[in-house]
Amino acid sequence: MRRVVCPGSYDPVTNGHLDIISRASRLYDEVVVAVLINISKKSLFTVDERAEMIAEVTKQYGNVVVEKFHGLTVDFCRERDIPVIVRGLRAVSDFDYELQIAQMNHQLAGVETMFMATNPLYSFLSSSLVKEVAQYGGDVSGLVPEPVQQRLIRRFSQS
């Protein structure tokens, strides 16, 4: 079985993330979306909420599973015998950063990294920007799936 991991914080998952996940799901037998538990970073949504949202918006793919993890992505891969990490690239600046990580991952554990160019529709998109726009009542309907948009609205209406 050909397996791949798509790691990230997904706070929240965006249409750009889903583009990469869906394209990976057509290339691999199983896509593991690994949701990072980062206790040092203040997240809008808990890791459980983020995992639930991803599971909800990827259920139609059939070969996507969602797991939570902390630590190094290569350790996650090694423990699950996953040989490839998929990363989306929005711009050249992403490549500069991601290349160093990919080389380190290969050095540490022999894990390969496959870079996917992001759909140009989402080249500007980041979870941080989505949160900022949603916080001020902006329309994020074309940026995130509907269930995520509803959770953003509820979360910011509570604060």
Side-chain angles (χ1 to χ4, degrees), residues 108-129:
L108 290 173
V111 174
E112 298 292 346
T113 301
M114 183 178 80
F115 295 120
M116 281 190 169
T118 302
N119 182 321
L121 292 172
Y122 309 121
S123 63
F124 64 93
L125 191 52
S126 71
S127 294
S128 299
L129 283 175

